[in-house]
Amino acid sequence: MSSELSAYVSDTAPGRGALRPARSWLHSDAPSRSLNGLWRFRLSPTASVAEGFATEGFDDHGWDSIPVPSHWVLQGDGAYGRPIYTNIQFPFPIDPPHVPDENPTGDYRRHFDMPIDWSDADRVVLRFDGVESLFKVWVNGVETGSASGSRLAHEFDVTSVVRPGDNVVAVRVHQWSAASYVEDQDQWWLPGIFRDVTLMARPTGGIEDVWLRTGFDDGHGRIDPEVTADAAAFPVTLRIAELGIEQVWATAADVAPLDVAGVEPWSAEQPRLYDATVSTAAESIALRVGFRTVEIRGDRFLVNGRRVVFYGVNRHETHPQRGRVFDEKHAREDLARMKRFNVNAIRTSHYPPHPRLLELADELGFWVVLECDLETHGFDKVGWAGNPSDDPAWRAAYLDRIQRTVERDKNHPSIVIWSLGNEAGTGSNLAAMSAWVHARDAGRPVHYEGDYTGEYTDIYSRMYTSVPETEQIGTDGARSALMNCTPAQSTRQRTKPFLLCEYAHAMGNGPGALDQYEALVHQYPRLHGGFVWEWRDHGILTTAPDGTPYYAYGGDFGEVVHDGNFVMDGMLLSNDVPTPSLHEYKAVVQPVRFVFDGDTVAITNLRHSADTSDLRFRWRVEHDGTPVDSGDLEVPVVPAGGSWWVPLPQIPVSPDAETWLTIDAVLAAGTPWAPAGHVIATAQLDRSIRRPVPAVRLRTGWHPDEGTLTLGIAEFANGSLVRLADRAVTGPRLELFRAPTDNDESPSDGVEESDASIAGVSSADLWRRDGLHRLATRRISVERAAEALRTTDKVSAADSALSVMVESVWSLVDDELELRVEIEPSSGWRTVWPRIGVRFDLPDGTAPVDGAEWFGLGPLESYPDSLRAARTGRFSSSIGDLSVDYARPQETGHRSQLRRLTLTSGNIKVLHIVAVPDTHGRRPGFTLSRHTPQQIAQAGHPFELPDATTSHLIIDAAQHGLGSRACGPDVWPEFALRPESRTIRLRMAAG
């Protein structure tokens, strides 16, 4: 690479040439042309390639065609390279600001036609809304300029080089540049022109920029306008027809604030917008205005005078086929889905999204933390040595990034906080960014999590704090030192609103204990909620060698360094399917709370500003999951923050069945994001008459016996079950293993862990160390009595003296087959167990067991620390739908608190099972799958699971919790499963 080219790609300057100042993304009636579409494209493996391609007469017929916007690594089935996933690691040597000579470089060309009447324009502007990472532009062979800042907008003045008729634009894009060091976000590296390219004619007397700041106070609105235009553009007129506003400003000096009576405020719950225009004789700009006031008062974050609780998600722009290329239809449905799951806030991790996304947020209603395109996380590996955040050479780049962020999006009422970026250490450049924002926009506070001591930010922000630490942050008078803070700094940080900018890492099956964080928000007003990491998985749709489609993660494209499936950490799967964690989140943060007391229920409206006039309250009564009565609950309108006690309906109680009352708060009318009847909150009340647990019938006359035996629907050979309900079956065998979740596989940090953890070692490693995935059985005895069989087994693992004694007693009780399993561990077990259960293997035979009907918790999976979305009822499912198709196969499908279970084969009922509570009243759970835990644990992707010929039923006396240890706290001790004695009692009958 030449020294000149090396200096170019290593230049920390944010841009060169005819690059124009940042301004708002506006809807103008001035002429414009989209340059989206097919461009000619050539990829070179290095940046050292001749620039003659930019000349007008260059022959590009031998080049390929590629769509713009797109990422070149997602085009051509690998012909242009492959995606790279890293979380923290840099995929190039840490040698700032330099990058390797092996620097994939894409050259783009296209012709465009400029109308002849554009010759009268004051300026012609070429706008790029997103290019990764460094690009240079030529028009008609003339170099126009260059820029970096992948998720930021850049405009070039091309007035002097365009002409009526045919023109040629050429763009060279380098995948790696100095900018790559400050764009080390947890995501795929996806180079190319991936957002819109637009050519605009700027009229003489037009409007360069508009900012309509707004405020709201008790029915009165305020508009504080800023109009950037030449003196010749005036007079300028502001019109808001719905409010009767037609304000004419004759000169720039006349532009002044307006007070507006009778306005409705904007909020995330009631996103009231007013259509406005700002016009000159030459141009009209259309905006949508929302009136709201953002302020911090003491340690409270307020909008329109009321405390905000953020029920948020971190949202990356990602799609399994398009990457970060924006699709409005998909984005709108994505936001509507958030609303349906009670999400009210978005942190735009970790860059500004496509500008249209923010207009949708204004319209549908979200609190938005708008984040700058900045992260330098890879410097953590070298102790932050050379980190650009405190290097004056990078000051201009840092300031350019925040300026382009704020200027582009300043008109959106949904944006209530500016964020400087993410995981970039700390330093003077970040402080300079904050100072610029404070000077430019006094109406929104500044956030940055890495400012632990609060030197230059307005909000105390942390990620992945444990429940106890979060409580200490919220507690008045607490004296504990906060992370990286002196006692004085800790005291100062406790005077600010607290925000969990990331928490509840939703990787794979999890997280658990969401409800514990939610409880703290209501107990400690300083705590303002937070943002789950994250909204959706980033899987890229590809195919296995045999042609099977699957969603790829780090390492699947042969990356030199990568961070595996850490990119699969969303509450939404890559194919838009909500995971159980999203249902759990919806239930935990539901905006209506129900508290039962006798024959009444207190209904509390937890919303920010909306009353309950848009809701209906429906109730139903079920006996053992079968509906017997229903109706509407008469509830007066409850204001935001208010409560109302309401009498419950008469509940018919059955002496022979469980009686459950369910109340749903549903939308009374359709909204842009959900139809009428959509459930936003649910509660259940158990009104069952308590019935005693059947006592265990004692058997006598036991004597050793082997050979064959039939007990009702069960057949045994030498004490082992061989058939059940006329089907081949093996088991029950002790199962202590589960296919480790991503949280199970994450190493312990040795702090606040659940039980017997070892720093740097995962729970899964400890389970494998103890051989839980490879248990062996030694039969100790087989005994018979009248209508009964008893076996005793010792279960242990190779190279281990630890063991578990398992006694299984089969007996006929009133013509019903009962199985009682007593499980007792030896002493010496040193860690938590994943489960305590027994497994039955059901070979397919003539027809597989392919479904289940059950009475218990459902309809989705549930675990000890993730139960809020589950309700007691009667459910059914195919065996495939019982499991979640996580990108990396792992434990899934457990249903808790089982009462009754029916296994089905097609439409045929194969086996009925009744689960009898143990002496403590604890009920087991079940999992039904086509693969064993051991098979699932061996697979890195769903397509790697073996072909199945058997269905596997596991009845669990207990399961270990889920936690959030993949990036956050371990399983809370209350939900940790310690080795202990357990009993499983089942009664069985043929279908």
Side-chain angles (χ1 to χ4, degrees), residues 634-662:
E634 293 299 323
V635 180
V637 174
V638 183
S643 294
W644 200 271
W645 285 96
V646 177
L648 294 173
Q650 288 292 113
I651 300 174
V653 177
S654 169
D656 302 316
E658 292 187 37
T659 300
W660 285 87
L661 169 70
T662 303

Side-chain angles (χ1 to χ4, degrees), residues 565-645:
N565 71 317
F566 206 71
V567 76
M568 304 299 222
D569 47 13
M571 295 193 292
L572 199 69
L573 298 179
S574 300
N575 60 355
D576 296 344
V577 173
T579 67
S581 71
L582 185 53
H583 290 269
E584 180 75 1
Y585 184 79
K586 175 185 177 181
V588 167
V589 307
Q590 62 186 30
V592 177
R593 182 169 57 198
F594 303 88
V595 177
F596 295 100
D597 186 5
D599 293 326
T600 61
V601 58
I603 296 177
T604 302
N605 179 5
L606 300 175
R607 291 160 150 183
H608 171 265
S609 48
D611 62 29
T612 61
S613 59
D614 62 327
L615 304 179
R616 287 176 50 216
F617 294 85
R618 303 185 310 202
W619 62 268
R620 65 183 180 277
V621 176
E622 294 169 324
H623 290 165
D624 279 359
T626 300
V628 296
D629 202 0
S630 63
D632 282 354
L633 203 62
E634 293 299 323
V635 180
V637 174
V638 183
S643 294
W644 200 271
W645 285 96

Side-chain angles (χ1 to χ4, degrees), residues 29 203-207 227 229 232-237 278-285:
D29 65 356
T204 300
I207 299 170
V227 178
F234 287 84
V236 174
T237 303
V278 179
S279 305
T280 71
E283 182 179 20
S284 182
I285 302 292

Side-chain angles (χ1 to χ4, degrees), residues 365-684:
F366 290 92
W367 312 116
V368 174
V369 177
L370 198 285
E371 197 146 83
C372 185
D373 188 7
L374 177 67
E375 181 166 339
T376 68
H377 207 169
F379 287 95
D380 181 58
K381 185 180 184 70
V382 293
W384 297 99
N387 182 25
S389 295
D390 203 36
D391 184 344
W394 294 81
R395 179 71 55 85
Y398 272 56
L399 287 174
D400 179 76
R401 285 172 181 264
I402 194 63
Q403 289 164 8
R404 292 188 179 278
T405 297
V406 171
E407 296 295 355
R408 192 196 75 170
D409 297 328
K410 54 186 177 284
N411 279 292
H412 293 286
S414 59
I415 298 173
V416 293
I417 297 172
W418 298 115
S419 179
L420 304 180
N422 185 68
E423 292 176 321
T426 190
S428 60
N429 292 337
L430 286 156
M433 294 169 73
S434 179
W436 183 88
V437 176
H438 282 114
R440 181 70 175 117
D441 182 10
R444 298 177 176 104
V446 174
H447 164 275
Y448 175 65
E449 184 265 348
D451 179 26
Y452 297 123
T453 61
E455 296 298 321
Y456 48 85
T457 50
D458 305 306
I459 294 166
Y460 183 37
S461 175
R462 292 276 302 283
M463 52 178 70
Y464 307 111
T465 61
S466 66
V467 170
E469 185 179 6
T470 303
E471 183 171 23
Q472 281 296 301
I473 292 169
T475 301
D476 287 337
R479 292 289 182 264
S480 60
L482 302 177
M483 188 178 77
N484 294 339
C485 288
T486 65
Q489 291 166 339
S490 299
T491 299
R492 178 174 63 185
Q493 290 295 68
R494 283 192 172 95
T495 66
K496 299 178 180 179
F498 177 72
L499 198 60
L500 280 163
C501 66
E502 295 178 22
Y503 83 114
H505 194 261
M507 185 176 181
N509 190 348
L514 285 166
D515 52 348
Q516 293 178 286
Y517 288 96
E518 170 66 5
L520 295 180
V521 165
H522 297 290
Q523 188 174 357
Y524 303 102
R526 181 180 305 136
L527 308 180
H528 287 74
F531 297 82
V532 171
W533 188 267
E534 63 176 305
W535 171 239
R536 63 160 61 240
D537 285 358
H538 298 221
I540 293 179
L541 186 62
T542 188
T543 54
D546 65 356
T548 302
Y550 75 100
Y551 293 99
Y553 51 72
D556 288 336
F557 296 109
E559 298 101 308
V560 175
V561 296
H562 63 84
D563 287 299
N565 71 317
F566 206 71
V567 76
M568 304 299 222
D569 47 13
M571 295 193 292
L572 199 69
L573 298 179
S574 300
N575 60 355
D576 296 344
V577 173
T579 67
S581 71
L582 185 53
H583 290 269
E584 180 75 1
Y585 184 79
K586 175 185 177 181
V588 167
V589 307
Q590 62 186 30
V592 177
R593 182 169 57 198
F594 303 88
V595 177
F596 295 100
D597 186 5
D599 293 326
T600 61
V601 58
I603 296 177
T604 302
N605 179 5
L606 300 175
R607 291 160 150 183
H608 171 265
S609 48
D611 62 29
T612 61
S613 59
D614 62 327
L615 304 179
R616 287 176 50 216
F617 294 85
R618 303 185 310 202
W619 62 268
R620 65 183 180 277
V621 176
E622 294 169 324
H623 290 165
D624 279 359
T626 300
V628 296
D629 202 0
S630 63
D632 282 354
L633 203 62
E634 293 299 323
V635 180
V637 174
V638 183
S643 294
W644 200 271
W645 285 96
V646 177
L648 294 173
Q650 288 292 113
I651 300 174
V653 177
S654 169
D656 302 316
E658 292 187 37
T659 300
W660 285 87
L661 169 70
T662 303
I663 299 177
D664 293 326
V666 305
L667 291 177
T671 70
W673 46 270
H678 169 74
V679 177
I680 69 161
T682 297
Q684 281 195 312

Side-chain angles (χ1 to χ4, degrees), residues 186-225:
D186 176 8
Q187 61 180 345
W188 295 97
W189 299 86
L190 299 172
I193 305 173
F194 69 94
R195 285 188 184 156
D196 306 304
V197 182
T198 309
L199 190 72
M200 297 175 287
R202 301 296 307 131
T204 300
I207 299 170
E208 181 65 14
D209 203 357
V210 173
W211 185 6
L212 299 182
R213 300 178 179 90
T214 66
F216 178 82
D217 183 15
D218 194 25
H220 293 272
R222 180 177 176 83
I223 300 174
D224 186 1

Side-chain angles (χ1 to χ4, degrees), residues 644-727:
W644 200 271
W645 285 96
V646 177
L648 294 173
Q650 288 292 113
I651 300 174
V653 177
S654 169
D656 302 316
E658 292 187 37
T659 300
W660 285 87
L661 169 70
T662 303
I663 299 177
D664 293 326
V666 305
L667 291 177
T671 70
W673 46 270
H678 169 74
V679 177
I680 69 161
T682 297
Q684 281 195 312
L685 174 65
D686 185 0
R687 279 295 178 91
S688 306
I689 296 174
R690 301 299 170 212
R691 290 169 288 173
V693 175
V696 175
R697 182 179 298 180
L698 295 177
R699 304 279 176 167
T700 59
W702 293 102
H703 59 276
D705 192 293
E706 295 192 0
T708 61
L709 173 67
T710 299
L711 282 177
I713 62 170
E715 299 175 29
F716 301 87
N718 299 321
S720 297
L721 180 67
V722 293
R723 293 188 70 80
L724 190 62
D726 290 327
R727 292 185 66 96

Side-chain angles (χ1 to χ4, degrees), residues 20 117-125 157 159-160 200-206 208 230:
R20 304 180 70 244
D117 58 357
W118 282 30
S119 300
D120 298 330
D122 180 59
R123 288 183 311 283
V124 178
V125 173
D157 189 335
T159 311
S160 63
M200 297 175 287
R202 301 296 307 131
T204 300
E208 181 65 14
D230 292 337

